[in-house]
Amino acid sequence: MATTVLHKADTRGHADHGWLNAYHSFSFASWYNPDRVQFGALRVLNDDTIAAGMGFGTHPHDNMEIITIPLEGDLAHKDSMGNAETIKTGDVQVMSAGTGIQHSEFNPNADKRTKLFQIWLFPKVKNVEPRYQQITLDISKQKNNFAQILSPNPDDDGVWIYQDAWFHLADFEAGFSKQYELKKEGNGLYAFVISGNITINGQELETRDGLGITDFKTLDIKASTDAKFLLMEIPMK
């Protein structure tokens, strides 16, 4: 029998710094909730809006898999590995921080905001050599489908990380339903609704709601309205 934990959108942590408007699904920075520290290997799910011309100065990370998914606008990235790239809506970026990296992230546009998800996962192995990867997704694959955007395998669709995790983006039309099958026994899944309404095994979810699910093999997912959502399958131990 599947076990679930529901995180409604309005229960997230919130910090408005003017240049940055951030919502935290899990404890982050000054927002701490002892019941919302992590979900398995999923440590951070931040829903950020960055004002025009603003961003995060150079700062360090180590032993974390960091995934960035732009939702609107662009993000300029520089890091201590020598990468200087701009990721755009429809891209996905990953950094394996490993033994340690430093990076900065800025909205390069003077006239429009940038919206993005930043997601942190604990790695499967520590102190790997840091690496960077970004790709442009084929958005058409998300239509009424689970389009894989991340996995542990460099030869699979999407980016890859040092963890037994699989991420999928989906864009369902109202009334469409599809079954999700667990990739690895013992994993759990955290679903996050980008827009619209869906039901997962009968549990209704609205925009920016999150649902953690464990102890399952398949899930029935149906769109109540036109809906976009992110599925993150991750180890629970």
Side-chain angles (χ1 to χ4, degrees), residues 72-115:
E72 178 184 320
D74 310 321
L75 190 70
H77 164 97
K78 290 185 179 180
D79 63 44
S80 53
M81 294 178 281
N83 298 296
E85 305 286 349
T86 297
I87 55 173
K88 300 176 180 294
T89 306
D91 292 348
V92 59
Q93 176 205 72
V94 65
M95 289 189 301
S96 296
T99 54
I101 59 167
Q102 296 201 31
H103 77 133
S104 62
E105 300 164 297
F106 279 87
N107 178 353
N109 300 305
D111 58 348
K112 59 183 179 181
R113 66 188 183 181
T114 294
K115 296 176 72 70

Side-chain angles (χ1 to χ4, degrees), residues 159-175:
V159 293
W160 68 274
I161 62 170
Y162 291 101
Q163 187 51 278
D164 294 326
W166 288 263
F167 285 14
H168 295 80
L169 279 169
D171 182 359
F172 279 16
E173 294 175 311

Side-chain angles (χ1 to χ4, degrees), residues 205-230:
L205 301 174
E206 300 174 308
T207 298
R208 270 21 186 207
D209 286 353
L211 183 71
I213 312 146
T214 54
D215 304 315
F216 74 94
K217 291 185 178 179
T218 62
L219 298 171
D220 295 315
I221 303 178
K222 183 176 181 178
S224 307
T225 67
D226 289 351
K228 296 181 181 181
F229 54 95
L230 173 64

Side-chain angles (χ1 to χ4, degrees), residues 131 133 148 150-162:
R131 62 176 292 272
Q133 184 185 11
Q148 183 174 289
L150 175 147
S151 80
N153 188 346
D155 297 324
D156 282 356
D157 288 343
V159 293
W160 68 274
I161 62 170
Y162 291 101

